[in-house]
Amino acid sequence: MKKIALFLLLVLLLSGCQAPQAAQVAATTLPVYEFTSRLCQGAGIAVARLVTEPVSCLHDYSLGVAQLRTLERAELVVISGAGLEDFLPLEAAEEVLDASRGIELLPGPDGEPDPHIWLSPACARQMSQNICDGLCARYPAQKSVFRDNLASLLSDLTALEDYGREALAPLAQKGILPFHDGFSYFARDFGLNVLASIEEESGSEAPAALLIQLSGIVEAENLPAIFVEVNGSDAAAGIISRETGVPIFSLDMAMAGDSYFDALYRDIDTIREAYT
Ligand SMILES: [Zn+2]
């Protein structure tokens, strides 16, 4: 009996070695997943992404069973932070790495901190630095790998920032009207001015008074375009576009899809094209 038990244990151990490696690190959203994956390149650490659906942003999001299991099994869970993941059962995680640490947060429309920090390349650099620090503390043997990867990641984020500064310089302090309250940090980095914070609830209709107010802004500021978010609601924007005759363009919150950098470069190009 003992021998059989020992044999079974051996089989279990051996098959465990051959099974695909479970993720050691899990990251919640595309930006923190992409930063973490790049930092872990060549370090032999598996990184999983929790949110993979085509969401516009994380408001009203809830985890499925498989995602919850990934969260529970990970040694380290990287979050974007600043309240974005308030919906997550983070107490189930072994260790949480908050990428927003030390970032000066802007107030959101309801007075709560605005969590959309990743849309600022400057904040994204701080997030990457924070993630690198957390990885170094958790896996000290791979410190030099993380730090080499960090240097390349930071330089890519600086190149993104330089590209946006140059592309959007002719629009200095121009007003933009995005139909999500997510572009404050982006606008601050690139010298734009968000004219109104609109937090459109999906599935609910925008009140008539708000539509009139927004149409008034479009006309008073002589805006050439308004912006909805990819995967977001465009009901109110559609009404305002018909009312004022201005076209609608889509901006990407970089929550879905598979490249943070592609999304941000596209957003910069979209705004420039919409305004020229
Ligand atoms: Zn959002």
Side-chain angles (χ1 to χ4, degrees):
M1 197 62 202
K2 247 184 188 170
K3 263 185 189 160
I4 294 171
L6 194 67
F7 173 75
L8 281 175
L9 185 68
L10 260 174
V11 168
L12 270 175
L13 280 172
L14 287 173
S15 63
C17 291
Q18 275 150 11
Q21 197 188 13
Q24 289 156 278
V25 177
T28 52
T29 62
L30 172 65
V32 283
Y33 168 73
E34 193 165 324
F35 303 155
T36 306
S37 297
R38 285 204 38 184
L39 291 165
C40 287
Q41 249 166 42
I45 293 169
V47 183
R49 174 175 161 190
L50 284 178
V51 177
T52 52
E53 300 93 332
V55 290
S56 63
C57 201
L58 278 196
H59 318 274
D60 309 323
Y61 184 84
S62 61
L63 282 186
V65 176
Q67 292 162 308
L68 192 57
R69 196 163 297 146
T70 305
L71 176 95
E72 286 168 346
R73 284 183 180 166
E75 295 171 353
L76 187 63
V77 176
V78 183
I79 64 168
S80 190
L84 186 75
E85 288 94 343
D86 279 354
F87 64 94
L88 276 187
L90 287 175
E91 63 285 352
E94 191 177 318
E95 189 184 341
V96 174
L97 201 178
D98 182 347
S100 73
R101 253 182 321 195
I103 292 176
E104 210 175 303
L105 301 174
L106 297 171
D110 50 5
E112 299 271 295
D114 182 339
H116 305 90
I117 47 177
W118 64 92
L119 291 175
S120 146
C123 293
R125 278 197 298 269
Q126 179 69 53
M127 295 169 81
S128 302
Q129 179 71 59
N130 287 338
I131 298 170
C132 183
D133 292 347
L135 289 169
C136 288
R138 179 80 204 204
Y139 308 104
Q142 281 99 325
K143 258 185 192 174
S144 64
V145 179
F146 299 138
R147 287 187 180 149
D148 286 349
N149 290 337
L150 178 66
S152 129
L153 178 55
L154 293 181
S155 104
D156 285 353
L157 287 166
T158 301
L160 169 68
E161 186 179 38
D162 292 346
Y163 177 84
R165 286 240 171 101
E166 201 185 322
L168 301 177
L171 277 63
Q173 294 314 314
K174 281 236 167 83
I176 57 167
L177 200 55
F179 279 71
H180 184 70
D181 63 319
F183 287 88
S184 307
Y185 296 93
F186 180 94
R188 184 192 59 186
D189 273 22
F190 295 121
L192 301 167
N193 179 20
V194 178
L195 293 170
S197 296
I198 308 155
E199 200 171 1
E200 204 181 354
E201 307 263 333
S202 54
S204 69
E205 277 173 40
L210 178 65
L211 294 175
I212 291 167
Q213 187 209 339
L214 297 175
S215 294
I217 292 175
V218 170
E219 275 158 1
E221 302 280 334
N222 205 10
L223 297 182
I226 53 176
F227 300 95
V228 295
E229 41 162 348
V230 175
N231 303 320
S233 162
D234 57 2
I239 294 170
I240 289 164
S241 174
R242 282 193 294 279
E243 190 76 21
T244 60
V246 301
I248 303 172
F249 288 80
S250 288
L251 296 177
D252 196 326
M253 299 294 294
M255 281 284 104
D258 46 29
S259 170
Y260 165 84
F261 282 96
D262 285 357
L264 271 280
Y265 276 106
R266 226 170 20 239
D267 285 345
I268 292 165
D269 289 344
T270 300
I271 295 175
R272 181 179 53 185
E273 278 157 30
Y275 275 57
T276 45

